[in-house]
Amino acid sequence: MTVIKVKPVPTVPVKNLNGSSPVHPALAGITGILMSAAGLPVCLTRPPKLVLHPPPVSKSDIKPVPGLGHCCRKTSKKQARKGRTSEEVVRRYLQKVRNPPEEDCTICMESLCGPSGYKGPGVGGISRAESVGRLSQCGHQYHLQCLVAMYNNGNKDGSLQCPTCKTIYGVKTGNQPPGKMEYHVIPHSLPGHPDCKTIRIIYNIPPGIQGPEHPNPGKPFTARGFPRHCYLPDSEKGRLVLKLLLVAWDRRLIFSVGTSSTTGETDTVIWNEVHHKTEFGSNLTGHGYPDSGHLDNVLEELRAQGITEEECLRD
């Protein structure tokens, strides 16, 4: 008598029963019914849950971040800078160009050999010999009048950023509204960082009235979702990122006032090109852990704002 061995049928998981993924839950249910009718075993599983916050932490378990003797930083309204005109600020970073090249100014798109295409309020007393300047570090050339107009259209904080390569001259500051930044260590580990505790950052910015550096001076702005909790591993690199974030906070570069990319709301507080992780125990939205490249990405984003590791080490 011949014995025929029948291989076991593998269990096929049917997921997405709560509609948290692109597969509709009804489709998952129908799939399960059809598989059962065909005699196939069905394993019903549920997707992982979103974990935004850590388990409850008592006050006695909250500790200062090693190397930082304080745990809170506040910002106030922007202080007006005096003593330099816009033209004087721009000229600080320029070298004279005696014979401009036959190229276009990438600000006004007019030839550097001719006058600036900027038609707004001009810069008085510019001779033809001084109408073009070369930025001292990166070497890119522009009409002086175009650079002054670009500076006047920004924060007018004494810094200048090359529109071609983004090299920053001076100290760049932003238009972040007044608020408070708290930071401390909690006794829990982030996914992907089992060997260290966690740095928790709490940002709090209240609603207010826009200042002259904001898009609509004198108009109210909203502040949704505050306080905002963010997380870093309490590792050597995590503490370095925190120190640089403190510099960015002091320079008002973490947040800005503008239009929300998620809700479309105008005149509201938004993130300003430095990504944070707001999920503690999951990464379902892309704003959590594990993410092996996150810290390096943040360092690069801070470098683009003129905040470098070398500067932090000097301080």
Side-chain angles (χ1 to χ4, degrees):
M1 180 177 177
T2 303
V3 178
I4 301 176
K5 294 183 179 181
V6 180
K7 295 183 179 179
V9 179
T11 299
V12 181
V14 178
K15 302 183 180 181
N16 312 310
L17 296 184
N18 65 354
S20 63
S21 83
V23 180
H24 194 279
L27 178 59
I30 293 172
T31 303
I33 294 172
L34 294 175
M35 290 173 62
S36 296
L40 297 174
V42 179
C43 175
L44 301 181
T45 64
R46 294 188 180 276
K49 293 182 179 180
L50 182 69
V51 182
L52 291 177
H53 302 291
V57 179
S58 65
K59 289 186 178 181
S60 60
D61 288 332
I62 295 176
K63 305 297 181 183
V65 178
L68 294 175
H70 37 75
C71 60
C72 180
R73 192 74 63 91
K74 294 183 179 180
T75 56
S76 58
K77 292 184 178 180
K78 181 179 180 180
Q79 300 295 320
R81 293 174 180 263
K82 300 179 180 180
R84 288 187 182 274
T85 66
S86 299
E87 183 180 347
E88 288 173 335
V89 171
V90 171
R91 286 183 181 275
R92 288 180 60 192
Y93 309 121
L94 292 180
Q95 299 171 341
K96 292 182 179 180
V97 177
R98 297 182 181 276
N99 299 305
E102 295 183 0
E103 300 174 358
D104 289 344
C105 170
T106 56
I107 299 177
C108 70
M109 302 309 296
E110 298 290 341
S111 173
L112 290 172
C113 297
S116 166
Y118 174 65
K119 304 302 181 184
V123 181
I126 296 180
S127 67
R128 185 174 180 82
E130 295 180 310
S131 64
V132 175
R134 177 188 295 110
L135 289 170
S136 57
Q137 292 183 41
C138 63
H140 290 111
Q141 301 178 44
Y142 306 95
H143 291 116
L144 173 60
Q145 194 166 350
C146 291
L147 286 173
V148 172
M150 185 184 75
Y151 178 81
N152 284 331
N153 197 41
N155 286 334
K156 291 181 283 192
D157 58 359
S159 72
L160 190 70
Q161 187 165 19
C162 175
T164 300
C165 67
K166 308 305 179 184
T167 297
I168 296 173
Y169 296 81
V171 178
K172 180 181 178 180
T173 61
N175 63 3
Q176 176 180 290
K180 182 170 67 172
M181 175 183 180
E182 299 178 71
Y183 42 94
H184 47 248
V185 174
I186 58 176
H188 300 291
S189 297
L190 293 164
H193 298 274
D195 299 328
C196 61
K197 298 178 182 179
T198 297
I199 298 171
R200 179 168 60 185
I201 304 171
I202 304 175
Y203 294 112
N204 205 350
I205 294 179
I209 303 297
Q210 297 183 55
E213 71 273 26
H214 294 135
N216 296 296
K219 185 178 179 180
F221 67 85
T222 58
R224 310 291 186 191
F226 289 93
R228 299 187 185 183
H229 291 221
C230 308
Y231 304 97
L232 292 168
D234 184 29
S235 61
E236 183 178 355
K237 184 175 284 189
R239 290 190 288 270
L240 170 63
V241 169
L242 174 62
K243 291 176 182 178
L244 295 180
L245 287 176
L246 287 170
V247 176
W249 174 263
D250 290 341
R251 296 182 185 177
R252 306 174 70 207
L253 292 168
I254 300 292
F255 296 96
S256 182
V257 174
T259 301
S260 170
S261 60
T262 55
T263 66
E265 182 180 8
T266 59
D267 300 304
T268 191
V269 179
I270 58 175
W271 292 105
N272 187 36
E273 300 180 3
V274 179
H275 286 84
H276 287 64
K277 294 295 190 180
T278 54
E279 286 183 68
F280 175 80
S282 59
N283 195 17
L284 299 185
T285 67
H287 301 301
Y289 296 91
D291 184 345
S292 59
H294 172 62
L295 297 180
D296 289 329
N297 291 339
V298 175
L299 290 173
E300 188 62 31
E301 290 166 348
L302 289 166
R303 191 173 295 111
Q305 300 282 2
I307 302 171
T308 64
E309 181 179 351
E310 292 76 15
E311 179 182 19
C312 181
L313 292 175
R314 285 198 304 270
D315 293 342

